[in-house]
């Protein structure tokens, strides 16, 4: 997404909303150098307002997660793994809100690996207009 922001025009605003603790967020921000603001929603009120629930244990910790952890172990050894410090079952989503405050696009993920394509997000932001 980062490399496609220029396509959206100067009036488009992008933000990442997370419920993570600020101390956990610092390393992520340092490693990723995000070109947009990161907002912290510690009580997850925005998550609830947008209808984002929690995934089932099997969906969150099933074979897809196991495959990803094997990839991490191969690349980084055990140094790339850490004990979860937050609700690993909280589902995420992607939303586009128009300038008039109307929700014009909603994608509610069914698991940690369930995301819309960047093309779908860019198209939704273009449709929302300035």
């Amino acid at each position: 997404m980062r490399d496609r922001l220029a396509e959206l025009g100067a009036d488009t605003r992008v933000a990442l909303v997370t419920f993570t603790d600020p101390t956990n967020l610092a390393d992520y921000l340092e490693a990723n150098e995000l070109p947009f603001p990161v907002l912290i929603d510690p009580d997850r009120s925005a998550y609830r307002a947008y209808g984002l629930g929690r995934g089932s244990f099997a969906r969150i910790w099933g074979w897809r997660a196991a495959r990803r952890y094997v990839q991490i172990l191969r690349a980084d050894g055990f140094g790339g793994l850490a004990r979860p410090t937050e609700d690993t079952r909280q589902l995420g989503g992607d939303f586009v809100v128009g300038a008039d405050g109307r929700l014009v696009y909603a994608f509610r993920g069914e698991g940690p690996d369930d995301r819309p394509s960047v093309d779908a997000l860019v198209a939704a932001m273009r449709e929302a207009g300035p």
Side-chain angles (χ1 to χ4, degrees):
M1 181 64 169
R2 171 188 337 221
D3 57 336
R4 305 268 311 266
L5 291 174
E7 297 176 35
L8 302 174
D11 292 334
T12 301
R13 304 285 184 256
V14 174
L16 181 141
V17 178
T18 182
F19 62 90
T20 194
D21 182 272
T23 57
N24 296 337
L25 187 58
D27 290 339
Y28 178 82
L29 293 176
E30 184 178 324
N32 290 286
E33 299 179 19
L34 300 176
F36 41 79
V38 176
L39 310 172
I40 300 174
D41 178 23
D43 66 358
R44 293 184 262 178
S45 56
Y47 283 76
R48 286 189 302 280
Y50 281 96
L52 297 171
R54 296 177 77 223
S56 71
F57 186 83
R59 178 61 175 94
I60 301 301
W61 292 102
W63 68 270
R64 289 178 180 158
R67 184 177 67 203
R68 179 66 184 130
Y69 283 116
V70 167
Q71 291 170 342
I72 291 169
L73 285 171
R74 282 186 183 151
D76 301 330
F78 283 99
L81 294 177
R83 182 175 206 76
T85 59
E86 295 161 351
D87 184 357
T88 59
R89 292 179 48 206
Q90 175 63 58
L91 295 173
D94 294 85
F95 303 91
V96 176
V97 179
D100 60 358
R102 184 177 47 91
L103 182 64
V104 296
Y105 177 86
F107 182 94
R108 291 171 182 86
E110 295 180 7
D113 57 342
D114 189 21
R115 308 307 297 180
S117 71
V118 172
D119 287 337
L121 288 169
V122 169
M125 286 188 253
R126 283 186 180 143
E127 282 182 36

